[in-house]
Amino acid sequence: MSPTPNFTGQRVVILHRPGGTTERLIRQLAMLGMRVDVQWAPLSQAAPAPDLVMVDADAGWSELFPWAPGQNPMPMIALLSSEAPGRIAWAIDQGARAMIAKPVIASAIFPALVMATRFHAEAIDTAAKVADLHERIRLRPLVLAAVQSIMSMQGCDEAAAYRCLRQDAMRSRLTLEHVAAAILAGGRSRSEAS
């Protein structure tokens, strides 16, 4: 079971349009110890990035952010007056990690904060894993070339050469790709293939 998140001291920006009411939402966020800013204009790139953004999704979306959907550097929550599935799907497609129905119900705020921050952290973690996988796929020919080099240098089979490469990587605390690059650059494997 994961610990209960603490939002005390975090900065949240509410992107809203003139004429909207945010007083109740601001009070609830302040009770959680969050620092709240309300902006009527697009989110500024010049200002320090907030920990979280809440968007009055009924007033539009795309013109509010300096980044493309799916590239959001912080978690976002959509404030929606309609809970229609199409409206929710649209907000998710724009990058929202959680929804709060309007008028805002106090009991909905904390679960939405938790959901938004957790989903955002998972998305960042997944993106890092995918990037690492892409890099490994890109460098895979390097590993294969190093294995063939070990096979010819030590006269061993492919399985033994892979084992040798893995042992070198573990000893040096480097990735297979880094060790493979060193071997292909003229270094010798420190492990004896057996």
Side-chain angles (χ1 to χ4, degrees):
M1 187 170 163
S2 56
T4 303
N6 183 358
F7 298 103
T8 303
Q10 290 194 7
R11 180 172 167 258
V12 58
V13 168
I14 302 173
L15 294 176
H16 214 272
R17 289 292 184 235
T21 56
T22 59
E23 290 80 11
R24 181 186 297 176
L25 177 59
I26 291 169
R27 280 197 306 272
Q28 295 298 326
L29 293 168
M31 286 175 64
L32 291 171
M34 300 184 83
R35 294 176 291 132
V36 184
D37 292 332
V38 177
Q39 291 186 11
W40 310 111
L43 191 66
S44 171
Q45 280 185 307
D51 297 297
L52 186 130
V53 176
M54 292 187 167
V55 187
D56 182 3
D58 297 322
W61 191 294
S62 57
E63 71 276 8
L64 297 177
F65 299 109
W67 59 77
Q71 299 176 338
N72 311 317
M74 73 278 296
M76 294 197 298
I77 295 175
L79 306 173
L80 293 169
S81 58
S82 168
E83 295 184 67
R87 197 79 179 128
I88 291 172
W90 170 81
I92 290 171
D93 189 52
Q94 296 299 309
R97 302 294 182 194
M99 316 291 152
I100 297 179
K102 295 192 296 185
V104 175
I105 301 169
S107 61
I109 293 174
F110 187 75
L113 290 170
V114 172
M115 183 182 296
T117 53
R118 285 192 177 149
F119 280 4
H120 187 70
E122 287 172 10
I124 290 173
D125 186 51
T126 300
K129 287 177 180 174
V130 168
D132 182 59
L133 184 60
H134 283 170
E135 182 66 5
R136 287 179 177 274
I137 289 169
R138 186 182 71 80
L139 294 173
R140 202 66 196 162
L142 198 65
V143 173
L144 293 175
V147 165
Q148 291 171 350
S149 175
I150 293 170
M151 288 168 61
S152 65
M153 284 190 297
Q154 299 186 4
C156 59
D157 63 9
E158 189 176 36
Y162 266 114
R163 191 166 49 249
C164 180
L165 191 61
R166 280 194 302 272
Q167 288 171 354
D168 276 1
M170 285 189 291
R171 281 194 189 108
S172 59
R173 296 185 181 176
L174 296 172
T175 64
L176 285 177
E177 291 77 13
H178 283 98
V179 174
I183 290 170
L184 293 173
R188 294 184 59 85
S189 172
R190 291 181 291 172
S191 301
E192 288 295 322
S194 52

